[in-house]
Amino acid sequence: MLMQGFAGLMSLLSLALILFSGFALVDAVIRREDAYRAASKQTKPFWLIILAIAFVVNWLFPILSFLPVIGLIATIVYMVDVRPAVRQISGGGRGRRGGGSSSDGPYGPYNGGR
């Protein structure tokens, strides 16, 4: 009974890891190539290859081997370091076109009447 629960937990973690690396791969595909160079974060083909390998490794190997851990590290590096920099360069903000501060008005930042 305990081993079945552990196997179920490992399969859920494996599925989560596959989904996480798949999301990172799709995100890398939709970003512009010049944004990677402008952010000084390698190139788009480099990240596509790394994330595709991570996705395939997570799909094929069990989560307790060391290869999915390496893929997870690569995916985390992309999501934490590369993705925010590329999004900032390419203007992929949260619904705001200018990507400015929340205190920006139509003619620039609001400075409180100073």
Side-chain angles (χ1 to χ4, degrees):
M1 182 74 167
L2 185 62
M3 291 304 290
Q4 288 176 345
F6 182 73
L9 177 67
M10 288 295 114
S11 65
L12 285 177
L13 282 175
S14 180
L15 178 64
L17 193 57
I18 290 168
L19 292 175
F20 183 54
S21 61
F23 174 79
L25 179 61
V26 170
D27 185 75
V29 167
I30 64 172
R31 302 290 170 196
R32 292 188 348 228
E33 198 276 328
D34 60 336
Y36 288 87
R37 285 182 280 127
S40 299
K41 301 294 181 187
Q42 293 295 327
T43 62
K44 183 175 182 173
F46 172 83
W47 283 107
L48 289 177
I49 290 168
I50 295 296
L51 293 172
I53 290 171
F55 179 76
V56 169
V57 163
N58 290 333
W59 187 274
L60 294 178
F61 291 95
I63 195 169
L64 292 178
S65 64
F66 72 94
L67 289 176
V69 173
I70 294 171
L72 176 63
I73 291 169
T75 305
I76 289 172
V77 167
Y78 175 81
M79 293 296 289
V80 172
D81 184 40
V82 177
R83 183 175 185 252
V86 171
R87 283 183 72 193
Q88 185 177 14
I89 297 291
S90 64
R94 296 186 180 153
R96 295 185 52 94
R97 278 188 233 155
S101 171
S102 63
S103 65
D104 283 356
Y107 304 108
Y110 177 71
N111 61 8
R114 292 183 256 163

